[in-house]
Amino acid sequence: MKPELVDILVPNKKDRRHLISLLQQVQYKFGYIPKEAMLAIADFLEIPESTVYGIATFYNLFRFTPLGKHPVKVCMGTACHLAGGKLVLEAMARELDIQVGGITSDQEFSLDRVACVGCCALAPVVVVSDSVYPRMTPPKVEEVLVTVKPVSQEQPEKH
Amino acid sequence: MTFEEIQKQAKSNWDSQYHGKAPHILIGTATCGRAAGALPVVEAFSNELAKRNARAKVTEVGCIGLCSFEPLVTIIKPSSFTVCYNNATPQVVPTLVEGYVLGDDPCLDLALGTLDGGDGKAVYIPELSRFEHEYRLLLRNCGYIDPGNINHYIANGGYSSLAMALQMEPDTIVGEIKKSGLRGRGGAGFPTGRKWQQCREASGQTKYIICNADEGDPGAFMDRVVLESDPQQVIEGMVIAAYAVGSHDGFIYIRAEYPLAIERLQVALEQAKNLGLLGDNILGSGFSFDIEIVEGAGAFVSGESTALMYAIEGRRSMPRARPPHSVKAGLWGKPTVLNNVKTYAYVPLILARGADWFSGIGTEGSKGTAAFALAGKMVNTGLAEVAMGTTLHELIFDIGGGIRSGKKFKAVQIGGPSGGCLPESMLRTAVDFDSLRKAGAIMGSGGVIAMDEDNCMVDTAKFFLDFIQKESCGKCSTCRIGSKQMLDMLEDITVGKGKIEDIDWLVEVGQDISGGSLCGLGRTAPNPALTTIRYFRDEYEAHILEKRCPALVCKELIAYYILPEKCERACEHCVLSCPVKAITTNEKGIKVIDQSKCTKCGSCQLVCPPEYNAVIRLSPPSLVPVSGAKTQE
Ligand SMILES: Cc1cc2nc3c(=O)[nH]c(=O)nc-3n(C[C@H](O)[C@H](O)[C@H](O)COP(=O)(O)O)c2cc1C
Ligand code: SF4
Ligand code: SF4
Ligand code: FES
């Protein structure tokens, strides 16, 4: 077992109650739920593996593939939808060249949709890592991605 | 410490900051403030004050609900009036420090207005017309006190209700809450006092108190603002509830998507504990009660009360049939009171000012105030709190400032996915539990989303059904399969494959889902579709019969087109913005969109300079001139 996994499990009581919280801790640590972690949790709580898998797949929070270094979440809540959030999501998918739920080949960005991050007054919004970008448009998508990860390999352009 | 000592200490802490000799700078750093760039402003103030060796204190506060003016900075000066600056940036910070922190120039050109008196030249914020329509109870401290400092809450009257409650008979407290007419603010409007009484009377030693902070309705954010701006009022309300029903263990179930609210709650709980207002032997009364935070894992249905209890137990949050009611057998089968964040927040106020005072506000059946999250196409997006019975018109036009950019109001969606879309003719509807239900919407979570002529009602209905269909827990076949059926039909209509019979089918399937589902999610799932059909049937017909989307939203039914006579020719904005290189320049220098390549991303329309405004949308797409290159002769 990975030592990080041991660190998560050991301080907890063997109480079924903590199943979701354990999964959350695993996800915070690794960015996703590795299969190994589900097996370890089942073993630790002495419950069937299928129960752990069932819970993990029931809740939207959990993902089973790694997150990018800069996770991108496009809000698809009501306010954001009405303000054109879908076009922003499509632009993001195009710009990163991945689908929702995917990750770029250099592991830098992953793309997910979320339902409302509570900033509806600034819709549509995109969250990259922990920063919220307000009033997004498709043309702004590229700007945001460049702010997050400057394209360093290229020669700086002279104006 | 006795409560008097706690109060005294709090008061002196508050006075030293808000009425001290040095200027005091408040900066709103709730999630919305942060999104608008508040943290760099905080940093800029710290740097500038250090650089200028200025003696002034910076405090991070919550949100006063004027989200469209964020970041908001308020400067309190001991000998002068308090000024509030809107849309602050790090760039204006040196000016403000030089001008008003160190000097005597209030920089009114950068200000939204003044907060206490003023010199007559600036806007006096409390007299802004929107505040005439507001009645702030829950939001009274938001954006003014430091949510990370319990002393501020106590100095403004906080926890005196708890101190008083602990001297009262629990039955008297329950009686007061009943008399106040308080109804739950989580959506359904169940009488809170009655819930507490049933739980109090339930047999058993172990009882639980749960605060529902799941706020899953996409478009609602009042609970978040309350928790980020003034969390102690919720905690105080929970402790009073616990004392009233005889519970020693409480839980706050909060969605993981609200990291800042969770952080501020954790701090708040710790501070309350340190002062003996929570935990063992509260204020020496012998009564003990503790609260644990449980983070949600992102399922809308978890907000339903029975489902939420399963989530806390570490199970799948699937609603169950009632009875037994949770007040008799809830969390782990024990009697449980579950209320919404705002419901608890009213409790200290009701005890402090009296049940009669509270029941004097609002309407016959709905007492007190209602907090709404104003979003969508309104000018003043943000929070508003009004007396129950205020009309939707007041909410949207007098407080919300009407629709942005001179567009025309089309509909208001109230109550989230369970709610309905109401047209202009229904704007005289009063916001209270019963009037809204009669109109086909519900109070629900309190999200109010204004839509304008650019929003398509079929697309809106599809959006909500898509949400519901993904969030259905799957227990009831009507909800699981019916919502998918409705979604498929709406999908067909938005891509131009709908049939006119589909409209009646939608209504029929909708009624089956409402009637045959167990929980509120399924029962209300068809509401957005049913109300849009009821009030905007013509839009459905245009999609089906003319393959036309009147609001120019549904992708399959629109086309982008560059008006040759308006295009400036020398500019290349659209060409550069097009991600699929669908725009080329014809022999006359005019830009032309290749319809077969266009993905309808809308970029070209956004970047075309407003002075030309050459890119338009047409529906149906057949309106695009055949050559696609019709030029000015
Ligand atoms: C699908 C669904 C989602 C719900 N989500 C929430 C929620 O996010 N917050 C909330 O307070 N109540 C929510 N409710 C209502 C709760 O079931 C419950 O009625 C309420 O929390 C009780 O508190 P109150 O009496 O203070 O209103 C939801 C109900 C349903 C059916
Ligand atoms: S109505 Fe829908 S969400 Fe509610 S219990 Fe039934 S299937 Fe689950
Ligand atoms: S952006 Fe507008 S004005 Fe500029 S070339 Fe395109 S259509 Fe013409
Ligand atoms: S809908 Fe996007 S932040 Fe609320």
Side-chain angles (χ1 to χ4, degrees):
Chain A
M1 210 189 316
K2 289 197 183 104
E4 294 100 317
L5 218 44
V6 178
D7 290 346
I8 292 173
L9 294 178
V10 166
N12 279 280
K13 280 207 213 99
K14 282 187 193 250
D15 186 341
R16 158 73 200 247
R17 226 201 102 184
H18 302 299
L19 174 51
I20 296 172
S21 140
L22 285 173
L23 287 167
Q24 279 167 337
Q25 293 173 49
V26 167
Q27 176 136 323
Y28 288 140
K29 186 84 207 167
F30 300 100
Y32 73 110
I33 313 277
K35 185 172 161 199
E36 187 199 359
M38 280 192 276
L39 297 177
I41 291 174
D43 204 40
F44 176 75
L45 294 179
E46 292 168 20
I47 53 178
E49 288 152 15
S50 58
T51 307
V52 179
Y53 182 76
I55 293 282
T57 48
F58 181 85
Y59 291 97
N60 302 329
L61 185 75
F62 302 118
R63 49 180 295 141
F64 305 97
T65 47
L67 267 187
K69 216 152 88 202
H70 312 283
V72 177
K73 286 177 262 173
V74 180
C75 181
M76 283 288 146
T78 317
C80 292
H81 173 80
L82 291 173
K86 202 162 157 210
L87 293 176
V88 175
L89 179 66
E90 284 167 5
M92 199 54 100
R94 196 169 50 230
E95 202 63 42
L96 294 173
D97 196 20
I98 51 176
Q99 300 289 312
V100 173
I103 179 165
T104 52
S105 52
D106 60 0
Q107 322 287 310
E108 286 289 325
F109 294 100
S110 53
L111 179 62
D112 287 285
R113 43 184 290 165
V114 283
C116 196
V117 290
C119 302
C120 314
L122 305 165
V125 304
V126 167
V127 185
V128 183
S129 302
D130 282 325
S131 308
V132 179
Y133 294 85
R135 302 201 206 286
M136 286 295 295
T137 60
K140 270 200 201 164
V141 162
E142 205 188 330
E143 279 170 45
V144 167
L145 293 178
V146 173
T147 340
V148 176
K149 182 186 171 246
V151 195
S152 51
Q153 301 89 321
E154 282 167 23
Q155 292 294 316
E157 270 176 324
K158 297 248 157 54
H159 287 281
Chain B
M1 261 196 292
T2 66
F3 186 61
E4 284 69 35
E5 284 161 352
I6 293 173
Q7 266 181 321
K8 216 167 128 199
Q9 181 187 309
K11 198 95 183 72
S12 86
N13 178 282
W14 165 264
D15 282 339
S16 72
Q17 290 188 14
Y18 283 73
H19 308 292
K21 293 212 173 64
H24 187 195
I25 302 158
L26 310 180
I27 305 174
T29 60
T31 301
C32 37
R34 289 178 183 214
L39 291 181
V41 174
V42 174
E43 203 186 304
F45 265 107
S46 308
N47 292 341
E48 189 67 21
L49 293 172
K51 202 169 93 194
R52 309 281 311 248
N53 234 331
R55 215 165 60 87
K57 192 180 157 45
V58 177
T59 299
E60 291 187 34
V61 295
C63 166
I64 58 172
L66 306 174
C67 302
S68 47
F69 294 110
E70 299 273 14
L72 277 167
V73 171
T74 304
I75 301 182
I76 303 174
K77 289 256 287 196
S79 51
S80 188
F81 47 87
T82 301
V83 186
C84 186
Y85 304 91
N86 58 304
N87 304 102
T89 59
Q91 285 75 35
V92 304
V93 168
T95 315
L96 295 180
V97 171
E98 172 76 33
Y100 204 42
V101 176
L102 297 171
D104 286 322
D105 170 16
C107 306
L108 291 177
D109 48 325
L110 295 170
L112 180 66
T114 63
L115 275 180
D116 50 5
D119 60 357
K121 281 189 223 119
V123 180
Y124 180 45
I125 293 174
E127 277 175 8
L128 282 179
S129 74
R130 67 168 284 164
F131 289 110
E132 274 172 36
H133 298 268
E134 283 207 51
Y135 193 147
R136 291 195 165 201
L137 299 179
L138 298 177
L139 300 180
R140 68 194 183 289
N141 291 329
C142 295
Y144 196 55
I145 67 169
D146 178 357
N149 185 345
I150 191 172
N151 287 319
H152 291 189
Y153 178 67
I154 297 174
N156 285 283
Y159 282 103
S160 52
S161 296
L162 174 64
M164 184 172 79
L166 293 171
Q167 313 290 324
M168 289 162 72
E169 277 303 312
D171 281 324
T172 320
I173 299 173
V174 173
E176 275 293 291
I177 299 299
K178 274 175 90 174
K179 200 166 125 208
S180 73
L182 176 65
R183 291 171 68 175
R185 295 304 198 252
F190 190 83
T192 305
R194 185 146 30 114
K195 192 184 273 184
W196 290 16
Q197 185 174 26
Q198 286 167 353
C199 186
R200 175 164 174 72
E201 287 165 358
S203 54
Q205 281 304 305
T206 309
K207 293 180 183 175
Y208 296 109
I209 295 290
I210 300 176
C211 173
N212 188 346
D214 197 44
E215 197 159 62
D217 164 11
F221 50 92
M222 299 80 52
D223 294 356
R224 172 179 66 72
V225 170
V226 167
L227 292 171
E228 286 178 356
S229 308
D230 190 10
Q232 295 292 353
Q233 55 177 338
V234 181
I235 300 173
E236 186 182 0
M238 285 180 76
V239 183
I240 295 172
Y243 177 73
V245 306
S247 160
H248 304 292
D249 299 287
F251 296 88
I252 300 178
Y253 186 84
I254 179 165
R255 65 200 310 247
E257 290 87 337
Y258 285 177
L260 184 65
I262 295 174
E263 194 186 308
R264 290 193 171 167
L265 257 177
Q266 272 158 347
V267 172
L269 288 173
E270 207 170 297
Q271 293 184 346
K273 239 183 199 168
N274 287 342
L275 289 182
L277 299 163
L278 184 70
D280 286 336
N281 191 14
I282 295 174
L283 289 175
S285 65
F287 171 69
S288 301
F289 176 67
D290 211 345
I291 297 176
E292 188 180 319
I293 296 177
V294 179
E295 280 184 46
F300 176 62
V301 75
S302 302
E304 196 274 344
S305 56
T306 58
L308 189 150
M309 293 178 201
Y310 287 132
I312 296 181
E313 293 174 10
R315 296 171 194 279
R316 286 189 207 198
S317 52
M318 289 165 104
R320 63 166 171 82
R322 283 169 289 187
H325 288 284
S326 306
V327 285
K328 298 261 176 306
L331 189 61
W332 289 298
K334 307 288 185 215
T336 305
V337 161
L338 178 143
N339 279 125
N340 172 262
V341 170
K342 288 166 274 124
T343 314
Y344 286 120
Y346 282 112
V347 169
L349 276 178
I350 292 173
L351 289 196
R353 303 190 197 175
D356 292 333
W357 162 80
F358 189 79
S359 65
I361 307 166
T363 62
E364 181 64 36
S366 307
K367 301 301 186 191
T369 57
F372 289 102
L374 307 181
K377 303 295 176 67
M378 264 175 269
V379 177
N380 302 322
T381 49
L383 280 201
E385 186 174 354
V386 295
M388 291 273 190
T390 304
T391 65
L392 281 172
H393 191 276
E394 276 177 86
L395 205 54
I396 296 165
F397 288 88
D398 298 325
I399 298 173
I403 302 296
R404 273 203 296 273
S405 323
K407 298 265 183 182
K408 204 169 145 6
F409 171 89
K410 184 189 267 183
V412 55
Q413 161 75 24
I414 179 160
S418 313
C421 282
L422 303 179
E424 191 162 12
S425 59
M426 302 295 285
L427 286 180
R428 298 287 154 201
T429 307
V431 288
D432 62 56
F433 292 107
D434 312 311
S435 311
L436 281 173
R437 185 155 309 189
K438 237 181 272 160
I442 59 164
M443 185 85 120
S445 52
V448 173
I449 296 177
M451 287 177 257
D452 66 11
E453 51 197 297
D454 294 339
N455 292 122
C456 167
M457 302 319 287
V458 186
D459 178 70
T460 304
K462 186 179 86 176
F463 167 79
F464 283 115
L465 263 160
D466 181 54
F467 179 83
I468 288 295
Q469 190 263 329
K470 287 201 177 77
E471 296 294 337
S472 165
C473 81
K475 191 168 185 167
C476 318
S477 51
T478 41
C479 171
R480 182 183 64 226
I481 302 168
S483 62
K484 177 82 173 89
Q485 264 189 351
M486 285 183 81
L487 178 63
D488 288 346
M489 273 190 266
L490 288 166
E491 181 71 39
D492 279 351
I493 296 175
T494 55
V495 300
K497 292 190 192 141
K499 294 183 287 298
I500 197 71
E501 317 83 83
D502 288 352
I503 303 181
D504 291 332
W505 254 112
L506 280 169
V507 175
E508 205 165 309
V509 177
Q511 282 159 352
D512 288 346
I513 300 176
S514 299
S517 300
L518 178 65
C519 86
L521 186 141
R523 290 184 167 278
T524 58
N527 281 358
L530 297 181
T531 48
T532 46
I533 291 175
R534 184 178 335 159
Y535 298 119
F536 301 94
R537 199 181 180 101
D538 54 328
E539 283 197 31
Y540 280 80
E541 288 168 355
H543 282 77
I544 296 171
L545 300 174
E546 302 166 49
K547 313 287 176 223
R548 179 172 69 88
C549 175
L552 304 172
V553 170
C554 297
K555 264 192 169 181
E556 311 292 327
L557 304 184
I558 61 165
Y560 284 82
Y561 177 63
I562 297 174
L563 292 166
E565 64 278 17
K566 283 200 164 180
C567 174
E568 197 268 349
R569 295 169 204 225
C571 124
E572 291 275 318
H573 280 79
C574 56
V575 177
L576 293 173
S577 81
C578 179
V580 292
K581 302 203 163 44
I583 307 179
T584 50
T585 312
N586 74 5
E587 65 284 358
K588 294 204 172 98
I590 288 167
K591 309 296 181 280
V592 182
I593 300 176
D594 179 344
Q595 298 294 338
S596 65
K597 282 192 187 162
C598 174
T599 58
K600 303 178 189 175
C601 77
S603 294
C604 55
Q605 192 174 27
L606 282 164
V607 297
C608 183
E611 58 271 37
Y612 310 128
N613 229 342
V615 185
I616 58 164
R617 280 174 285 173
L618 295 170
S619 181
S622 57
L623 290 180
V624 174
V626 191
S627 70
K630 198 187 91 186
T631 47
Q632 219 170 8
E633 298 313 342

